[in-house]
Amino acid sequence: MSQDTTDLAGLRVLVTGAAGGLGRAIAEAVHAAGAHLVLTTRDADSLPRAAAGLDRGPEVVTAAADVTNDVELAKAVELATERLGGIDVLVNNAGVPGPAGPAWENDPAEWVHTMEVNLGGALAACRAVLPGMIERGRGRVVTISSHAGHTRWPYVSAYSVSKAAVNKLTENMAIELLPHGISAFSYHPGILDVGLGASATATRTSDNPWQRRVDSWLDSQRESGRYTPVAEAVANLLRLIRGEADALTGRYLTHEDDIAALVAATGRA
């Protein structure tokens, strides 16, 4: 499945969790590169924030759709199909950080909710989007993951385990989707000053000592220069969306990876 590597003109890209920091950055970059957008947020109140400033150029479709709600997701995809004719790329960005602390001390409902959103929500969005991609015989799915799912992140076990499950889900789906011309990736954008990475400022005075411990670690990562600029985080994501990494389908990829070199190493460039 070849794709113009200079821009995303004509592609139809759905971004979940589009009102948050990373979701908003993804939407802006994808739109600037020429793609039509489908932006979903958990509730209608956040839709204007997701679409702000994107009123010129490629079309932008917005829909309130909680990723844990199959009916809302199906309606969002139906609206996108009516307006744009379908979806070419799904970016599973919606997620929650989950509870902080030893796993056995976490509120069980909060722990399970993290799995429901981060893993279950990604799968639910796939259920909504993949039938159309399969019918057209092409498509891409990129699910935002984390180094927390590639290694261990103690005291945020729900988040870590959910992202590990996302990576394994991607590996399995990539094989299942091969006959349909659809590629799938999990993508680690780095630690960013949005989302979980921004929580150090937001929760510095938390009553939860474990949350303060996580925040302190994040502060140390920021101070040591280990945070990733958002523009850098989005750069490799755009390469995945364009199709430059299709030969690597199923892989866990990061903002630091040399996509061209990895593809060349497969002999399928």
Side-chain angles (χ1 to χ4, degrees):
M1 181 168 54
S2 63
Q3 185 66 41
D4 185 344
T5 59
T6 60
D7 60 40
L8 308 181
L11 277 184
R12 300 158 297 186
V13 181
L14 189 157
V15 181
T16 67
L22 179 58
R24 173 66 193 185
I26 293 169
E28 289 177 352
V30 167
H31 192 256
H36 302 295
L37 283 174
V38 183
L39 305 177
T40 68
T41 64
R42 186 172 56 183
D43 53 62
D45 290 344
S46 54
L47 286 176
R49 184 167 72 252
L54 303 177
D55 51 344
R56 295 185 180 181
E59 187 168 358
V60 178
V61 177
T62 61
D66 189 314
V67 292
T68 64
N69 189 311
D70 286 319
V71 173
E72 291 180 357
L73 284 168
K75 288 181 178 178
V77 172
E78 182 180 352
L79 176 62
T81 302
E82 290 174 358
R83 295 274 296 275
L84 303 176
I87 294 167
D88 300 302
V89 182
L90 166 64
V91 179
N92 278 316
N93 171 70
V96 294
W104 64 92
E105 293 181 2
N106 289 157
D107 182 296
E110 288 185 39
W111 205 98
V112 170
H113 177 69
T114 306
M115 296 294 292
E116 289 174 342
V117 175
N118 295 354
L119 174 63
L123 180 57
C126 288
R127 280 197 299 268
V129 169
L130 283 173
M133 290 185 178
I134 290 170
E135 183 178 351
R136 290 185 294 277
R138 66 183 187 277
R140 298 183 185 97
V141 176
V142 183
T143 302
I144 300 301
S145 186
S146 169
H147 189 58
H150 195 60
T151 182
R152 62 183 182 275
W153 269 31
Y155 309 114
V156 282
S157 64
Y159 182 79
S160 179
V161 172
S162 71
K163 293 303 185 180
V166 159
N167 296 344
K168 191 57 67 175
L169 173 65
T170 298
E171 291 177 18
N172 283 280
M173 283 204 314
I175 300 302
E176 296 167 353
L177 291 170
L178 278 177
H180 305 290
I182 300 168
S183 54
F185 309 92
S186 54
Y187 179 69
H188 167 46
I191 305 177
L192 309 174
D193 229 341
V194 293
L196 177 62
S199 68
T201 299
T203 61
R204 192 181 303 277
T205 59
S206 171
D207 292 336
N208 182 343
W210 300 105
Q211 182 64 59
R212 294 198 303 271
R213 181 170 177 164
V214 171
D215 294 344
S216 178
W217 179 82
L218 289 169
D219 283 341
S220 72
Q221 298 302 294
R222 181 187 289 106
E223 290 165 5
S224 62
R226 293 187 179 132
Y227 266 51
T228 305
V230 173
E232 180 182 326
V234 172
N236 261 1
L237 176 61
L238 291 177
R239 293 183 176 95
L240 304 188
I241 292 172
R242 288 186 184 110
E244 296 178 34
D246 282 352
L248 305 173
T249 186
R251 292 277 293 271
Y252 163 84
L253 297 168
T254 80
H255 66 101
E256 296 178 311
D257 286 326
D258 184 334
I259 300 296
L262 290 174
V263 170
T266 70
R268 296 167 57 193

